[in-house]
């Protein structure tokens, strides 16, 4: 049995790109017969957060979102990073075998500086805490987006340095990036990649008037409904296909290609997108409402997850402390 671990940043409301590009694949891993550990990276969030209420809210929102979308807390340990004290202890042990040069080469650190983030020591040592997250559970596979692969490789380096100095303590993790064909690249309302940064995103639980207004913004042109068109070149179809089964999608495409009297106009297709999206996320939305009304249940789930995580991480920490002469 492999151990799968990933951390999720509590950074605002997830959009369709996050769901189809990442969250869905994360949750699917629970069906693979692995031991799964998913945590909310609240210590990492503190490298930039200065608003306690917002951070607290964002952490809860991640937990509720994953649970609503189908994460099964009986099969996955879902917990807060800051609940596992052994991780911060291990991060010190790793810091002592990590060269400054390794951290200086981190793309994401350089990137954040370029975007005007003030360089705190925490931001600089972010990869050490992340390596501790990974190594604390004897993780085999770490599902991450492309931007995080370098951090997993740094965890491999740190495990290697510690093991070279003190013997085989840490298991070598591998980054796990779902294969390209399984990865949906979801475009935003303007046709560029959907991203919070570009403001072209749609929250997965958006509904009612706000959803209507968002979908209304999907870029189209001024061709008349009767004019035959190629649906694969239309941004509207990149949205419709997310929520429509293959047979129904083909029918829509055929009508658009044929043009003429019976062809759907853009408004028509937009209405189908709204209906499709609302139906697609309806069970998750209902589950989300339940969880919003039952904060004690969310607390219980996070506490149980933390218990499982702490037990595993304490073993690894003790092994590491013994190896380097601290016990
Ligand atoms: P954003 O660009 O909105 O800030 P993040 O960089 O936080 O999103 O992405 C979180 C995860 O969601 C990553 O694993 C990334 O691969 C995935 N993701 C983000 N946007 C998209 C998109 N438009 N299509 C597919 N996957 C995406
Ligand atoms: N740095 C990751 C991100 O920004 C979140 C994260 C923290 C993480 N610790 C981790 C991911 C450990 C995987 C494994 O998305």
């Amino acid at each position: 049995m492999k151990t799968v671990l990933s951390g999720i940043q509590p950074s605002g409301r997830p959009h369709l790109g996050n769901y189809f590009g990442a969250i869905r694949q994360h949750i699917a891993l629970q069906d693979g017969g692995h031991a799964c550990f998913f945590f909310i990276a609240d210590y990492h969030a503190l490298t930039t957060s200065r608003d306690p209420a917002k951070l607290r809210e964002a952490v809860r929102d991640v937990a509720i979102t994953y649970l609503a979308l189908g994460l099964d807390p009986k099969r996955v340990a879902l917990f807060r990073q800051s609940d596992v004290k052994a991780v911060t202890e291990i991060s010190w042990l790793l810091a002592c075998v990590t060269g400054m040069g390794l951290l200086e080469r981190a793309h994401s650190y350089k990137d954040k500086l370029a975007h005007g983030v003030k360089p705190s020591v925490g931001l600089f040592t972010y990869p050490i805490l992340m390596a501790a997250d990974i190594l604390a559970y004897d993780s085999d596979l770490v599902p991450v987006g492309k931007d995080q692969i370098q951090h997993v490789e740094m965890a491999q380096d740190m495990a290697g340095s510690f093991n070279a100095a003190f013997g085989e303590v840490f298991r070598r993790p591998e980054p796990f990036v779902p294969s390209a064909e399984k990865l949906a690249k979801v475009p935003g309302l303007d046709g560029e990649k959907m991203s919070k940064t570009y403001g072209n995103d749609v929250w997965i639980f958006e509904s009612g008037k706000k959803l209507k207004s968002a979908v209304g913004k999907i870029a189209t042109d001024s061709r008349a409904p009767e004019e035959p068109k190629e649906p694969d070149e239309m941004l509207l179809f990149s949205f419709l296909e997310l929520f429509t089964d293959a047979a129904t999608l083909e029918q829509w495409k055929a009508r658009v290609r044929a043009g003429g009297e019976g062809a759907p106009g853009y408004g028509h297709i937009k209405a189908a997108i709204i209906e499709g999206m609302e139906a697609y996320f309806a069970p998750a939305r209902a589950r989300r409402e339940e969880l919003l009304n039952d904060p004690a249940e969310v607390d219980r789930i996070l506490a149980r997850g933390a218990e499982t995580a702490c037990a595993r991480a304490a073993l690894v920490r003790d092994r590491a402390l013994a190896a380097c002469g601290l016990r």
Side-chain angles (χ1 to χ4, degrees), residues 93-257:
L93 304 184
L94 296 175
C96 294
V97 296
T98 303
M100 292 289 285
L102 184 74
L103 296 182
E104 277 159 359
R105 283 192 293 277
H107 306 311
S108 86
Y109 176 69
K110 289 190 256 185
D111 234 49
K112 283 180 180 154
L113 292 202
H115 282 89
V117 177
K118 230 170 106 195
S120 66
V121 175
L123 192 68
F124 185 64
T125 59
Y126 183 116
I128 300 181
L129 181 59
M130 179 154 162
D133 288 326
I134 294 170
L135 302 176
Y137 307 99
D138 282 335
S139 311
D140 297 295
L141 294 178
V142 186
V144 283
K146 274 204 209 98
D147 61 317
Q148 295 294 320
I149 293 177
Q150 191 195 27
H151 285 153
V152 182
E153 290 169 349
M154 291 167 99
Q156 293 173 335
D157 288 345
M158 290 178 217
S161 308
F162 193 93
N163 291 353
F166 300 115
E168 280 302 306
V169 170
F170 293 118
R171 183 177 298 180
R172 183 184 163 88
E174 296 296 335
F176 172 73
V177 184
S179 61
E181 64 272 20
K182 277 200 295 189
L183 263 193
K185 263 200 216 81
V186 180
L189 299 171
D190 54 0
E192 298 298 318
K193 181 190 169 213
M194 184 175 285
S195 170
K196 280 187 281 287
T197 320
Y198 306 147
N200 61 359
D201 57 320
V202 183
W203 180 39
I204 55 180
F205 293 123
E206 200 63 274
S207 68
K209 269 193 193 149
K210 281 192 180 158
L211 178 59
K212 198 163 175 222
S213 144
V215 171
K217 289 187 195 129
I218 299 175
T220 53
D221 54 33
S222 57
R223 288 179 292 173
E226 297 77 29
E227 197 178 319
K229 301 175 197 69
E230 180 40 54
D232 291 338
E233 289 164 9
M234 291 163 67
L235 183 56
L236 284 177
F237 273 85
S238 306
F239 282 87
L240 189 62
E241 72 180 7
L242 297 174
F243 312 113
T244 314
D245 65 79
T248 314
L249 187 68
E250 277 318 306
Q251 286 169 9
W252 278 98
K253 287 187 175 179
R255 289 167 65 204
V256 166
R257 281 195 189 105

